[in-house]
Amino acid sequence: MNATLTFFFGLFILLLFAWYFLTDQERIKRWLGTSLALLLCAFSIDAFLPFEQKIHLGLDLQGGTSFLVRLVPPVPEEGGKPRPITPEMQEQAVEVIRKRVDEFGVSEPVITKEGNDHILVQIPGLSTAQIETARQQLQRVAKLEFRLVHPNNEQLIRQIAAGTGFTPPGYVILTSIEHRNGQPEKLLVKRRPELTGQDVASARPVFEQRGYEVSLRLTRAGAEAFRRVTRDNINNRLAIVLDNEVVSAPTIQSEIPNGEAVITGNFTAEEARNLATVMENPLQTPVAIDETRTVSATLGQDSIFRGIAAGLAGLAATLIFVLVYYRAAGLVAFIGLAVNGVLLFGAMALFGFVLTLPGIAGIILTIGMAIDANVLIYERLREELEHGKNLRPAIDTAYRKAFSAIVDSNLTTLLKVAILFWLGSGPVKGFAITLTIGIIASMFSALLVTRNIFGWALKLNLVKRISMLHLIKSKSFDFLGKWRPALIGSVIFLAASIGAFGLRGSSMFNIDFTGGDFLLVKSATELTDAQIRGELGKIGLGNAVIQQETSQQQTQVAHFISIRSPFGTADKIANQLKQGFPAANLSVERSEGVGPIMGSQLAATSLFALGIAILGILAYVTIRFEFSFAIGTIVAMLHDLVITLGIFVMAGREFSLVMVGAILTIAGYSINDKIVVFDRIREGLRSGRKGSIQYLMNASINETLSRTILTSGVTLLCMLSLLIFGGPVLADFAFTNVVGVIVGTYSSIFIAAPIVLWWSNLRKGNLRLEVSKPQEAAPKGKQVATKQTSSRAPSR
């Protein structure tokens, strides 16, 4: 579908959505909901099929190399402070790098701006030798020169092309990016330049009466050379050459004595801007490569296989659970989950998002989060049916009451993911993209698609009653009364976690944060650490960290060697090992290098992202609930993070860039759980039910206990499948989420509500009155006071 049709299709869908939400007629709502679901699914299927052509794979799945290039601010010739990198300089650097990458003849390289002074270069399918060549090419200084064109250029070019002439001594034929008669112009230019990029002080596009021009200002030395060249070559052409390619070749019209010139030529605005940025020459100063990551094609295929296996295992486990536990309603949830998946891949294909390995983790996590919304609705439905309601009003009430909890929990997650996308990079952004699309798609499928299916089932008399399993029936456990043993247990784990952080120190961070190189080598034979260290000692790297593991790949046993070393040594190590062990048939499966500057920036950015996320969530929960609930949410979330990360560190694992996504995922899951519990507590306090605050809180926790345990169980199934089948790259992510789900479930039941109650009592406030204010404002001139009852639950 072309862009115009897509635009009008989008407008039509928006109109249908507006009509759906504005109408109160059940019949129209049912048909509109069906139309929306079918149209969006059809559009999405058309967008992502054929899958291998429409869904772009990241380098970690298809194999390849990525470089994160940093532009070094140039220092003026006169000295002083370096000039800041401007957007124009960065754009020009992108174009220079793109031309150099095109020389490798690879398909679909990705070259994009990152931040204000970085450029991300992703090149698929490079060999080991090409990787080193690419690194050198990217760091090579751009060569800007001003060369005189031969006065008889056109005549000599025709003669040389016809074989009746020859290239004069001291001249060379270069191709121009400008076209003449539909073909790139050939120019006979001097080998030796008259001026270079060092002679350019500034260049900028200007608009005058004659149209767009380029204003050029030269340095003192450049002005003198330029005066001589223009005086002696009036009416001749002067070629502006970048990396042996002619960018422009204006005619010298007069002598220019002051080093300030104007280049005219019927330029468009874009052409004038591009020519000016070429002459500013941002790559005149060498660039620095802050980060290098390489994944072999075989490891990429293995990652795809493992990702698919983990996804299918998680999907199968989830399907079995919902069908067994919720029966017919579970089938409806599964249809909603299928719609969710179709919309997710359709959106990725439509917007050109790249699917990465962390993105697969985001999809698997989305499965658990999509079922979470259905569990919320079905547990509400169970309550309404137990209260004696008929099926139709019970379904309507269940969706209405579950709506606020679903929206609140998903919006806080979207807030966290937006921050992750804003501040994250590379693999973390891939995770954020799939999770964002998955959350939006899951809300659509849970609130519109599944409800519409129930509407048709009731209309056609396909469903007359709904039965479900009910394994968690306890409704009277005093959770808040167990705050002392819960507090002791939490303090012990918190102390152990903080102690683990102190004992591990900087060793708990991998090269993403500390800087350095990581090399994963596959060997056909088993090598001892002593043998490897002996070879590394020959190049002065005997102190590198070496780890080995053996895995079964189909019918063969593969030996993997991982080596951590100082930044910029990975290639040297790979070459030395290949020379030292020729019989081992060594191959580089993965190579990563992060410079010390980039490592410290990532650490600072990660902490900043977490801080912004906490403040944003604090503000949202305060607005939607009350400050006491916000304090309970934040304290419980920090409790979950510290203990989860403490267990992660105690397990001997290392923090990587992907772990930033894992940490914010844990925070999001923790908050979701608390919001659902707090939503029920608020509902109980506003309803006017009798009993103490503690009693109502206990009742609310008991009422949501089934949902809390069920959603935790479903998410655990998805994360366990990722841990078992996802492979070593996502093992840390999956392990963290498995621990985080368990700790988050515990804190939702035993920690969050007591903190809310303690904080409210500490402020000497009335929680019942505070949550009722949005609904019932007190009349003017009257004081509303409600005595806060004892924190002991009444006896029964």
Side-chain angles (χ1 to χ4, degrees):
M1 188 179 291
N2 61 39
T4 304
L5 289 177
T6 301
F7 174 76
F8 284 108
F9 177 80
L11 285 180
F12 181 63
I13 291 295
L14 285 176
L15 289 174
L16 290 183
F17 265 114
W19 192 2
Y20 178 86
F21 287 111
L22 290 174
T23 185
D24 291 326
Q25 298 184 34
E26 185 63 31
R27 182 178 62 84
I28 295 177
K29 224 175 180 65
R30 199 163 51 243
W31 280 107
L32 286 174
T34 304
S35 300
L36 280 168
L38 292 176
L39 284 172
L40 285 173
C41 284
F43 181 76
S44 297
I45 291 171
D46 177 71
F48 71 74
L49 289 181
F51 194 87
E52 62 277 3
Q53 296 178 16
K54 300 291 186 68
I55 299 294
H56 302 288
L57 300 181
L59 292 186
D60 53 358
L61 295 179
Q62 66 170 318
T65 303
S66 70
F67 302 94
L68 188 62
V69 178
R70 174 168 51 87
L71 300 178
V72 179
V75 179
E77 186 180 295
E78 301 81 14
K81 293 183 178 180
R83 287 187 294 165
I85 301 296
T86 64
E88 291 78 14
M89 295 167 71
Q90 190 182 27
E91 185 64 41
Q92 175 58 24
V94 168
E95 292 307 314
V96 171
I97 289 173
R98 190 184 307 280
K99 290 176 183 176
R100 294 179 180 177
V101 170
D102 286 343
E103 295 175 6
F104 291 97
V106 297
S107 61
E108 298 185 353
V110 177
I111 303 163
T112 57
K113 294 180 287 187
E114 290 275 324
N116 298 322
D117 60 353
H118 281 83
I119 298 169
L120 179 65
V121 182
Q122 296 180 318
I123 312 174
L126 292 184
S127 65
T128 304
Q130 286 179 314
I131 292 170
E132 181 56 32
T133 304
R135 183 183 287 109
Q136 294 173 0
Q137 284 277 42
L138 292 176
Q139 294 184 101
R140 179 166 57 85
V141 175
K143 193 176 181 181
L144 176 66
E145 298 170 320
F146 294 79
R147 303 195 204 176
L148 283 169
V149 179
H150 197 286
N152 298 322
N153 174 73
E154 293 186 10
Q155 179 182 348
L156 288 174
I157 287 292
R158 283 197 299 269
Q159 291 175 356
I160 294 169
T164 59
F166 60 89
T167 303
Y171 283 85
V172 65
I173 298 176
L174 295 181
T175 303
S176 173
I177 64 172
E178 297 178 333
H179 286 63
R180 178 168 293 189
N181 299 324
Q183 297 292 328
E185 186 181 11
K186 301 286 186 180
L187 293 175
L188 194 60
V189 301
K190 279 190 173 182
R191 288 185 180 275
R192 293 186 60 182
E194 308 300 324
L195 296 94
T196 68
Q198 298 283 353
D199 299 310
V200 178
S202 67
R204 60 189 179 88
V206 294
F207 184 77
E208 299 292 346
Q209 290 182 348
R210 291 170 295 188
Y212 282 99
E213 303 173 345
V214 177
S215 174
L216 177 66
R217 186 170 63 84
L218 302 174
T219 63
R220 187 178 305 170
E224 177 58 30
F226 199 56
R227 183 190 66 80
R228 176 181 50 78
V229 171
T230 55
R231 181 195 63 199
D232 298 340
N233 295 278
I234 294 175
N235 294 326
N236 287 343
R237 297 172 72 185
L238 182 66
I240 302 168
V241 182
L242 180 68
D243 279 348
N244 285 321
E245 186 178 51
V246 178
V247 178
S248 183
T251 301
I252 299 171
Q253 298 175 353
S254 63
E255 178 185 348
I256 301 173
N258 58 1
E260 293 186 357
V262 173
I263 303 174
T264 60
N266 296 321
F267 297 123
T268 65
E270 184 179 0
E271 288 170 343
R273 185 172 61 251
N274 289 342
L275 181 56
T277 52
V278 162
M279 289 189 292
E280 286 269 21
N281 196 15
L283 293 186
Q284 197 173 143
T285 303
V287 301
I289 294 181
D290 280 346
E291 182 181 290
T292 305
R293 299 180 186 273
T294 299
V295 176
S296 70
T298 54
L299 187 61
Q301 290 297 321
D302 183 63
S303 297
I304 294 175
F305 173 78
R306 288 176 179 272
I308 293 173
L312 291 176
L315 187 63
T318 303
L319 173 61
I320 292 170
F321 166 77
V322 296
L323 290 179
V324 170
Y325 198 86
Y326 290 114
R327 298 169 186 169
L331 181 60
V332 174
F334 182 71
I335 295 173
L337 187 60
V339 171
N340 186 2
V342 169
L343 296 182
L344 192 155
F345 285 112
M348 290 195 68
L350 181 65
F351 295 108
F353 294 136
V354 177
L355 180 62
T356 63
L357 195 55
I360 292 177
I363 293 172
I364 295 171
L365 185 62
T366 298
I367 295 173
M369 297 183 70
I371 294 299
D372 186 13
N374 291 111
V375 171
L376 267 173
I377 295 166
Y378 292 166
E379 292 303 307
R380 282 284 193 174
L381 177 59
R382 184 201 308 281
E383 293 174 13
E384 298 304 319
L385 292 174
E386 288 176 352
H387 291 159
K389 283 189 177 181
N390 291 328
L391 186 56
R392 185 183 294 276
I395 290 174
D396 291 339
T397 305
Y399 274 92
R400 178 172 51 82
K401 287 187 174 181
F403 180 82
S404 63
I406 292 172
V407 171
D408 284 335
S409 60
N410 281 290
L411 282 180
T412 53
T413 304
L414 280 175
L415 173 65
K416 172 259 299 180
V417 172
I419 293 168
L420 189 62
F421 182 81
W422 171 40
L423 295 172
S425 64
V428 176
K429 280 191 175 181
F431 170 76
I433 287 170
T434 54
L435 195 57
T436 300
I437 299 172
I439 290 170
I440 296 171
S442 69
M443 291 178 66
F444 171 79
S445 61
L447 296 175
L448 190 148
V449 175
T450 59
R451 184 167 188 173
N452 206 51
I453 293 173
F454 277 121
W456 280 111
L458 292 171
K459 171 68 177 177
L460 301 175
N461 291 321
L462 298 177
V463 177
K464 296 183 178 179
R465 59 184 296 271
I466 291 179
S467 61
M468 313 172 188
L469 293 180
H470 196 185
L471 303 180
I472 306 167
K473 299 182 179 180
S474 175
K475 295 288 183 182
S476 58
F477 191 82
D478 184 13
F479 291 107
L480 270 70
K482 309 300 181 186
W483 67 269
R484 284 186 179 84
L487 177 63
I488 292 171
S490 292
V491 168
I492 291 173
F493 274 102
L494 287 169
S497 299
I498 295 171
F501 297 152
L503 288 174
R504 288 283 303 274
S506 60
S507 65
M508 63 185 176
F509 298 100
N510 85 343
I511 62 168
D512 285 342
F513 299 110
T514 61
D517 282 4
F518 171 81
L519 187 67
L520 181 66
V521 180
K522 181 180 176 183
S523 173
T525 60
E526 189 171 2
L527 302 174
T528 65
D529 286 0
Q531 289 176 301
I532 298 168
R533 201 172 297 280
E535 283 297 320
L536 297 183
K538 296 177 182 178
I539 54 174
L541 294 170
N543 59 347
V545 179
I546 301 170
Q547 292 179 317
Q548 295 200 62
E549 64 176 275
T550 302
S551 67
Q552 184 76 30
Q553 290 190 337
Q554 297 177 352
T555 60
Q556 296 180 344
V557 176
H559 305 280
F560 290 95
I561 306 164
S562 60
I563 302 171
R564 297 184 187 278
S565 59
F567 182 60
T569 60
D571 291 337
K572 190 187 297 184
I573 290 173
N575 292 332
Q576 183 63 36
L577 292 179
K578 287 179 180 179
Q579 291 175 13
F581 306 108
N585 194 23
L586 297 177
S587 62
V588 176
E589 295 294 300
R590 197 164 110 232
S591 177
E592 299 178 2
V594 180
I597 294 176
M598 195 63 198
S600 60
Q601 286 180 352
L602 287 173
T605 303
S606 301
L607 289 174
F608 181 66
L610 186 59
I612 292 294
I614 290 173
L615 290 176
I617 291 163
L618 180 68
Y620 182 84
V621 178
T622 300
I623 294 169
R624 288 290 290 127
F625 291 85
E626 197 274 336
F627 190 65
S628 295
F629 288 103
I631 291 295
T633 301
I634 296 300
V635 172
M637 181 192 72
L638 292 175
H639 161 278
D640 299 346
L641 288 177
V642 172
I643 292 180
T644 300
L645 297 181
I647 294 173
F648 178 88
V649 170
M650 284 185 268
R653 297 173 180 268
E654 293 181 338
F655 291 112
S656 64
L657 189 57
V658 175
M659 282 299 297
V660 177
I663 291 170
L664 290 180
T665 301
I666 298 165
Y669 178 82
S670 174
I671 291 161
N672 287 0
D673 232 12
K674 277 68 173 173
I675 281 178
V676 172
V677 175
F678 290 165
D679 185 69
R680 185 61 68 94
I681 291 173
R682 179 178 61 180
E683 181 184 322
L685 294 173
R686 284 180 175 176
S687 66
R689 291 166 62 180
K690 295 181 179 179
S692 68
I693 301 295
Q694 177 173 335
Y695 171 75
L696 292 177
M697 281 186 164
N698 266 322
S700 298
I701 295 172
N702 276 285
E703 289 165 1
T704 57
L705 183 63
S706 178
R707 175 262 167 204
T708 300
I709 294 176
L710 289 174
T711 53
S712 299
V714 173
T715 307
L716 270 177
L717 287 175
C718 295
M719 288 299 102
L720 282 172
S721 69
L722 190 61
L723 181 63
I724 296 169
F725 301 106
V729 179
L730 293 178
D732 289 344
F733 178 90
F735 177 84
T736 307
N737 277 278
V738 167
V739 176
V741 167
I742 296 171
V743 176
T745 303
Y746 157 78
S747 70
S748 297
I749 297 172
F750 290 101
I751 302 296
I755 292 172
V756 173
L757 186 58
W758 292 337
W759 180 260
S760 179
N761 290 337
L762 185 66
R763 293 171 58 208
K764 302 188 184 323
N766 189 309
L767 198 61
R768 192 193 300 267
L769 180 61
E770 289 169 354
V771 299
S772 300
K773 279 181 181 178
Q775 287 190 329
E776 298 177 9
K780 284 187 177 181
K782 292 186 180 180
Q783 303 249 340
V784 180
T786 305
K787 184 179 179 182
Q788 184 139 349
T789 54
S790 167
S791 62
R792 188 183 305 245
S795 58
R796 294 191 177 186

